[in-house]
Amino acid sequence: MDLNQRLSLELQQRSPKDVQELVLDNCRAVDGRIEGITEEFCNLETLSLINVRLTTLEDIPKLDKLKKLELSDNRISGGLEVLAERLKSLKHLHLSGNKFKDISTLEPLKNLPQLKSLDLFNCEVTNLADYRESIFKLLPNLTYLDGFDIDDCEGSDSEGEVDGPDDDDEGCESEDFEDEEEDEEDIVAVEDYDEDDDSGDDEDGHVNGDVDSDEDVDDEEDDEDDDADEGSSPAKGEKRKRDPEDDDEDDLDDD
């Protein structure tokens, strides 16, 4: 399937101006050229042309809103000037698996002021001794080269693909330091919580102690009253002793 046929399938009933993402991977570019993609795709933000046998970028149209361009596994060896002229908003450029051999062939990319990530993996240029230093010097606004920043810290999948904050990352060490600070704050919060629980227990114990002492006094008074009652009346189940004087009074009554 050639590029034009694949493009028709992707569009279906949509108008080119309604398309924001276009994936045309693994089809065949006739004569190694881009065809079918025109300036009518004025709202296009992502274009993927992976492994379509491209040899030139001369026919790429002006796409003012394009931010991500996938050109991996093609046969491109130069001609990047056209990207700097027609894709002013480009931020992510993937050129891995192409035929770039020299740093000089990449110099036109310095005219892309918003370029943040560049992928040249499996290109011959990556075998140069000063490859990474030269690229970061050529493109001072670049954040990631082949998935790693200038300090060799690997970026997450989202950092190389999705627009993030305008400020550059401060590096691996600063991220680790921030994580340590967050852990220390969590530990302090837990300790404060434990101290509050201990103080609450002390207060409850003190109050309960006072209440218990009052209850003990009441119990002692009740016990004393019970003892007094027991001394003045016979125990339950015992017969009361008859007084001799009561017997004399009964004899007089009989007389």
Side-chain angles (χ1 to χ4, degrees):
M1 182 182 297
D2 65 30
L3 197 56
N4 261 327
Q5 292 173 328
R6 177 67 179 275
L7 182 58
S8 298
L9 288 175
E10 291 293 330
L11 281 178
Q12 295 181 358
Q13 303 299 321
R14 292 185 297 172
S15 169
K17 67 179 181 180
D18 296 328
V19 179
Q20 292 184 315
E21 181 177 3
L22 193 56
V23 178
L24 304 172
D25 301 342
N26 302 313
C27 56
R28 179 173 55 86
V30 178
D31 296 329
R33 309 178 74 92
I34 295 175
E35 55 183 351
I37 303 173
T38 67
E39 293 184 9
E40 293 180 348
F41 291 84
C42 55
N43 292 311
L44 192 63
E45 295 184 0
T46 298
L47 175 60
S48 185
L49 295 166
I50 298 174
N51 189 32
V52 296
R53 306 179 188 180
L54 285 178
T55 58
T56 178
L57 297 174
E58 290 180 359
D59 300 301
I60 195 167
K62 183 178 180 181
L63 301 170
D64 291 334
K65 294 186 178 181
L66 193 71
K67 296 178 180 179
K68 180 181 176 182
L69 180 59
E70 288 267 11
L71 296 172
S72 300
D73 300 326
N74 284 291
R75 303 168 185 174
I76 305 166
S77 58
L80 299 181
E81 296 86 357
V82 67
L83 301 184
E85 294 171 1
R86 303 175 187 176
L87 307 177
K88 291 295 185 180
S89 298
L90 194 63
K91 293 185 177 183
H92 310 290
L93 178 59
H94 295 256
L95 295 171
S96 61
N98 278 281
K99 305 296 183 181
F100 297 99
K101 298 180 180 181
D102 303 314
I103 297 293
S104 59
T105 58
L106 303 171
E107 287 187 2
L109 298 180
K110 65 184 179 181
N111 295 318
L112 289 170
Q114 298 189 50
L115 190 64
K116 296 298 181 184
S117 67
L118 175 64
D119 187 2
L120 292 165
F121 185 71
N122 276 345
C123 293
E124 289 187 44
V125 67
T126 62
N127 296 324
L128 298 177
D130 58 348
Y131 159 66
R132 289 185 61 82
E133 293 80 0
S134 298
I135 295 296
F136 278 114
K137 183 177 180 180
L138 176 67
L139 307 172
N141 293 327
L142 195 67
T143 303
Y144 293 102
L145 175 60
D146 303 334
F148 292 82
D149 65 14
I150 194 171
D151 296 318
D152 284 334
C153 293
E154 186 175 7
S156 65
D157 292 339
S158 61
E159 286 174 320
E161 307 299 335
V162 181
D163 297 338
D166 292 335
D167 295 334
D168 294 338
D169 295 334
E170 295 180 359
C172 299
E173 294 181 359
S174 62
E175 292 176 359
D176 294 339
F177 181 73
E178 289 177 359
D179 292 340
E180 290 177 1
E181 286 185 341
E182 291 177 358
D183 292 340
E184 291 177 357
E185 291 176 358
D186 292 340
I187 293 172
V188 171
V190 171
E191 290 177 350
D192 292 342
Y193 179 77
D194 291 340
E195 290 177 359
D196 291 340
D197 285 349
D198 293 340
S199 62
D201 293 342
D202 292 341
E203 292 176 359
D204 292 342
H206 179 69
V207 173
N208 291 337
D210 293 342
V211 174
D212 291 343
S213 63
D214 292 340
E215 292 177 352
D216 292 342
V217 172
D218 293 338
D219 291 341
E220 290 176 0
E221 291 177 353
D222 292 340
D223 292 340
E224 291 176 358
D225 293 340
D226 293 340
D227 292 340
D229 293 340
E230 289 176 359
S232 60
S233 60
K236 185 177 180 181
E238 293 182 358
K239 293 182 179 180
R240 183 175 180 181
K241 292 182 180 180
R242 186 176 182 81
D243 192 340
E245 293 180 355
D246 293 337
D247 292 338
D248 293 341
E249 289 178 359
D250 291 338
D251 292 339
L252 291 175
D253 290 338
D254 294 334
D255 292 344

